[in-house]
Amino acid sequence: MSSALCWAGAQARLAPCPRQQIATRQHSSRRLAQRAPRQRPPAGGSSTRRPLPPAAAATWQPPPGLAILPWTGDPEQVEALEALRARMAASPYPEAAEDEATLRWFLQDRKLDVAEAEEKLLKMLRWRREFGADFIEWTDIAREAATGKAYLHTHTDVSGRPVIVVRAAKHLTGASNLQDSQRLCVHLMDRALDRLEASNGSGDGPAVQTVLGIFDLRGFTSANADWGFVRFLVDIFFLYYPKRLSQVLFVDAPWVFKPGWEIVRPWLKKYAALVRFAGADDVRREYFTPETVPEDFQQKAKK
């Protein structure tokens, strides 16, 4: 593929954010990048959302112990919410006290343990400030996006989850600045959460809370084994975006990937249960419709 086509494809998948839009990505206006979906009104009336195919009836569920605590608004949850709100109001990030959706999500993640939710939330806020996550501009990631190594898919999967696709063979260790790769990753995750919020605000169907990650490992070699970057991914997905990544697909992993997986699996601890080794056929059949499957996994016509 020519560089011009690669650049055009990257722009189509990852449109640049206007400066004014990015300038609004402050902690208070962006829900601190940890948006919890709005509670839906009771079902009733017609929906404009296209019916899901039969495969969606068997929607994937997280393993025991990794499911997010539902928010019902019962007295215990409300009490925990107000306690966390008071703690955040007295913290170095008082604006977080007004972001109820984020407070709720961290309480759900920590199963209403206020002290643990506060600790994890403060770490996330500190990281975003130090990393500059709220000020990433298109010029910061354009060159990295043009490599085609990762993108936010246009369509959701059959469960309604936004989908981030990573083409591992396009990431060469040392070929680009590590921080550029990190910025692209954060930008994609923030955009996926933006899409979640927009979808959940439509009022159609059940609220979707999480993102699907697909790592296309076809063509993976030792030159693509950037374990420093993988360590960064583990940290941000499970520390700073807790439980937002509900499942990870490793697609067509070659034998050379297996020793690396033995290194990474202990880093994930219990969250290793969220990983599934799958084939491209599984991706097509179980996670998408023929109209929504990513181009990388479309069935090739036989000549």
Side-chain angles (χ1 to χ4, degrees):
M1 180 180 292
S2 68
S3 59
L5 287 176
C6 182
W7 178 263
Q11 286 182 310
R13 291 188 176 102
L14 191 58
C17 299
R19 179 178 296 273
Q20 181 178 4
Q21 178 183 357
I22 293 178
T24 64
R25 290 189 167 186
Q26 306 291 331
H27 294 310
S28 57
S29 62
R30 297 196 69 257
R31 294 191 181 278
L32 311 176
Q34 300 295 335
R35 299 177 177 85
R38 297 183 180 92
Q39 297 299 310
R40 296 306 181 84
S46 61
S47 170
T48 58
R49 178 173 291 179
R50 176 179 168 180
L52 294 178
T59 301
W60 180 88
Q61 295 295 327
L66 294 180
I68 192 70
L69 178 72
W71 189 268
T72 61
D74 64 36
E76 181 184 11
Q77 292 182 341
V78 172
E79 181 180 356
L81 174 63
E82 293 310 313
L84 182 58
R85 190 194 306 276
R87 292 188 181 210
M88 295 310 300
S91 77
Y93 308 93
E95 68 275 10
E98 304 305 317
D99 188 354
E100 183 172 317
T102 296
L103 300 179
R104 286 205 324 256
W105 184 259
F106 275 78
L107 284 169
Q108 289 172 265
D109 173 57
R110 297 291 88 193
K111 302 192 186 313
L112 300 185
D113 187 311
V114 175
E116 288 189 7
E118 177 192 22
E119 180 182 6
K120 198 164 187 177
L121 179 54
L122 287 173
K123 285 182 179 178
M124 185 274 286
L125 294 171
R126 189 179 305 115
W127 167 77
R128 289 191 70 84
R129 177 179 291 180
E130 294 173 353
F131 188 80
D134 295 310
F135 301 98
I136 297 174
E137 301 197 27
W138 173 248
T139 53
D140 298 323
I141 61 172
R143 183 182 298 274
E144 195 72 1
T147 66
K149 66 175 60 175
Y151 63 91
L152 178 63
H153 183 43
T154 306
H155 300 283
T156 61
D157 74 346
V158 293
S159 298
R161 295 177 294 187
V163 179
I164 295 176
V165 179
V166 177
R167 297 161 166 154
K170 290 183 177 289
H171 180 85
L172 298 175
T173 304
S176 59
N177 184 284
L178 177 60
Q179 194 168 38
D180 289 343
S181 297
Q182 293 173 343
R183 289 194 188 103
L184 176 61
C185 176
V186 171
H187 178 77
L188 289 175
M189 193 63 186
D190 281 353
R191 282 200 62 207
L193 294 182
D194 288 340
R195 188 171 293 179
L196 269 181
E197 184 179 40
S199 174
N200 289 325
S202 68
D204 296 326
V208 179
Q209 299 178 303
T210 58
V211 175
L212 172 66
I214 300 179
F215 286 75
D216 185 353
L217 297 174
R218 291 172 295 183
F220 178 91
T221 70
S222 58
N224 311 121
D226 189 345
W227 304 122
F229 182 57
V230 171
R231 178 79 245 192
F232 171 80
L233 293 179
V234 171
D235 286 343
I236 70 160
F237 284 133
F238 298 110
L239 295 178
Y240 308 132
Y241 296 93
K243 290 190 173 67
R244 286 304 194 183
L245 196 65
S246 60
Q247 191 179 21
V248 175
L249 304 181
F250 285 163
V251 181
D252 289 333
W255 67 268
V256 71
F257 177 79
K258 301 302 173 65
W261 169 239
E262 294 305 316
I263 295 174
V264 173
R265 183 164 55 182
W267 297 348
L268 299 177
K269 300 179 181 178
K270 64 180 181 180
Y271 293 103
L274 299 177
V275 173
R276 176 188 177 187
F277 284 83
D281 287 341
D282 300 320
V283 174
R284 281 192 294 272
R285 291 195 309 264
E286 300 179 32
Y287 293 88
F288 298 95
T289 67
E291 296 78 19
T292 64
V293 65
E295 183 178 353
D296 296 329
F297 303 106
Q298 290 177 1
Q299 185 74 53
K300 305 298 183 184
K302 296 183 178 179
K303 296 182 180 181

